[in-house]
Amino acid sequence: MPQLTDEAVTRDAAPDAAAPDATENAAPGAPENAVPGAPGAPENAVPGAPGVAGVAAAQDAAEAAAPGAAEAAAPGAAEGAAAAGAGAGSAPERSGTWMTPAEYGASRAALWTGALVLVTDTDGRVLLQTVDYRPDRLMPGGAVDAGESPAAAAAREMREELGVDGHYPHGLAVDWIPADTPGFPPETRFPGEILHVYDGGTWTPDRIDAVRLPAQEITGIEFAEPADLPALMDAGDARRALSALRARVAGAGAVLLEDGRPTAPTALDRLGALRTPRVPQRAAWHPGPVPAHLPVRERSGWLFAPDGRVLLLIARATGTAHLPSPTAGPTAGALPLGYRHEAGAAGPACADARTAARLTALPPAADPAHARLLATPEQVRELSDWGPAGLRELASVHEARERLCLPAPPRTPPVELPEGGRHF
């Protein structure tokens, strides 16, 4: 932070009579009006602190004067010269980085600040609000009041807009909105904005039923499929919501965004996960082998790496995620995990079978249309549309992992595997 001048201190400490040209002894290249952050700026400078650098410069200049000059001067001459210099209104000598408090304050950019909350239901759909002042949907949230922290603003907005009390300590994203963003009337003099996106968690049907809307502003709520957000929201708002949702799935903490776009994209961002509708697989889950009388329509595998993560495929063209074939690589310890089948469902009776096994290696990629990633079982479910049966399948997956003597993996961002394959 730049030093700020204290005019009274520098005038008294560096009178004109003490040194005809004190700048001759200043550090080479020291700017007189340097801006904050310029090279050579003191790191511990405090706005409003006395002008210590100015005092030092005056002392150096006095020492450089002709030998004996001070002794030869008439008594009181120094004091008279100081008074004369001050009375003449001469500017104090400056060295280092100097700004007055007013100059420093004027140099700082002013931005709006807002707080939003990302909420999903148990199916992974995103909570949106309809409002009475614009046609597109919005995430819950609003402006941060003067003196209010963004987290406190998020809790206040949720209480005012939805009648829900809560505490939201976990951030998902911080987004910088540029001043030239379209859609703001010129009269607002929009200076740009910093938006904090917090994790509101997954709401059960009971909590959703507890929502109480105010008499005005919020006219309704809905839960939208992630792929539908661009059609329902402003383009920048939709980018921000999807980026925050991917950050939640990744589990690596809050991400930095610029106009909704991550500054350090993860594999989920690069592949555009959740940008197209997830394939519904909502049939009931049945653990164990497929009964002999049921034909198998599709076979897929929960294929475990040694660290407990599983192989996941994401289509490069659409961003859709799905489990691989049980034969995607050499395995060991294969066992029938269970199957999906809805009794009485329309159409021919058939099952989608799941196998669990431990991967021993991964061959070179044979399908360039799909990226291969390692993800936790929870991340696979969150990127899929499996309905309530997804939790029951997930429980079977972890039982199989324990039978295979593999550890429970911590949530880390899904990692794309090299196309050349990998040995475990």
Side-chain angles (χ1 to χ4, degrees):
M1 180 178 291
Q3 288 182 329
L4 308 180
T5 58
D6 186 326
E7 300 293 349
V9 172
T10 51
R11 275 198 295 267
D12 292 341
D16 291 348
D21 189 1
T23 58
E24 293 179 2
N25 294 310
E32 294 186 357
N33 295 296
V35 297
E43 294 182 357
N44 59 349
V46 179
V52 179
V55 174
Q59 292 172 346
D60 292 343
E63 292 172 2
E71 291 80 354
E79 291 82 356
S90 59
E93 299 295 341
R94 294 181 176 184
S95 65
T97 303
W98 290 89
M99 298 182 80
T100 66
E103 290 170 341
Y104 181 73
S107 73
R108 296 302 301 268
L111 295 174
W112 292 0
T113 309
L116 305 172
V117 181
L118 177 77
V119 174
T120 57
D121 64 6
T122 54
D123 289 332
R125 298 177 300 172
V126 178
L127 172 62
L128 299 179
Q129 299 178 152
T130 54
V131 296
D132 59 12
Y133 56 88
R134 56 188 292 178
D136 45 12
R137 312 305 199 263
L138 300 172
M139 291 170 59
V144 175
D145 290 341
E148 184 180 40
S149 74
R156 174 182 54 77
E157 290 287 345
M158 292 292 282
R159 184 171 56 253
E160 293 175 355
E161 296 181 345
L162 300 176
V164 173
D165 287 322
H167 179 52
Y168 310 99
H170 301 297
L172 293 176
V174 178
D175 194 8
W176 171 76
I177 315 300
D180 58 357
T181 299
F184 288 92
E187 296 81 6
T188 65
R189 298 181 180 178
F190 179 60
E193 187 169 18
I194 299 295
L195 284 174
H196 300 258
V197 184
Y198 291 92
D199 189 356
T202 299
W203 285 10
T204 62
D206 288 342
R207 189 167 189 186
I208 296 171
D209 291 341
V211 169
R212 296 294 179 266
L213 301 181
Q216 59 183 15
E217 184 184 1
I218 312 302
T219 59
I221 64 170
E222 62 184 283
F223 285 86
E225 176 70 20
D228 293 336
L229 297 181
L232 298 172
M233 308 177 75
D234 168 82
D237 293 344
R239 285 195 300 271
R240 184 181 313 112
L242 279 172
S243 293
L245 185 57
R246 292 176 188 134
R248 183 211 265 185
V249 174
V255 298
L256 299 179
L257 310 177
E258 293 185 358
D259 200 16
R261 300 177 178 90
T263 59
T266 65
L268 296 181
D269 296 310
R270 293 192 300 270
L271 294 168
L274 300 172
R275 75 179 188 271
T276 56
R278 299 171 294 171
V279 179
Q281 293 184 345
R282 293 174 162 265
W285 172 253
H286 305 273
V290 179
H293 69 277
L294 273 180
V296 175
R297 178 177 58 185
E298 182 182 37
R299 297 183 185 274
S300 53
W302 287 92
L303 305 183
F304 289 92
D307 62 2
R309 291 182 294 174
V310 295
L311 185 62
L312 174 67
L313 303 182
I314 293 185
R316 298 185 186 276
T318 63
T320 55
H322 60 88
L323 291 170
S325 163
T327 61
T331 61
L335 53 92
L337 184 68
Y339 62 97
R340 293 241 180 195
H341 168 66
E342 197 69 64
C350 57
D352 295 327
R354 302 276 208 261
T355 300
R358 184 173 63 251
L359 274 172
T360 58
L362 193 64
D367 180 10
H370 289 85
R372 302 181 297 180
L373 295 86
L374 287 180
T376 67
E378 287 75 14
Q379 290 167 331
V380 174
R381 187 186 71 85
E382 291 164 12
L383 294 170
S384 307
D385 185 10
W386 290 348
L391 289 176
R392 291 189 285 274
E393 180 171 354
L394 194 61
S396 297
V397 170
H398 283 296
E399 290 176 5
R401 175 186 54 76
E402 292 175 355
R403 290 175 61 183
L404 293 169
C405 300
L406 296 172
R411 184 180 290 257
T412 56
V415 176
E416 186 172 357
L417 295 169
E419 294 186 0
R422 181 173 176 179
H423 290 279
F424 296 112

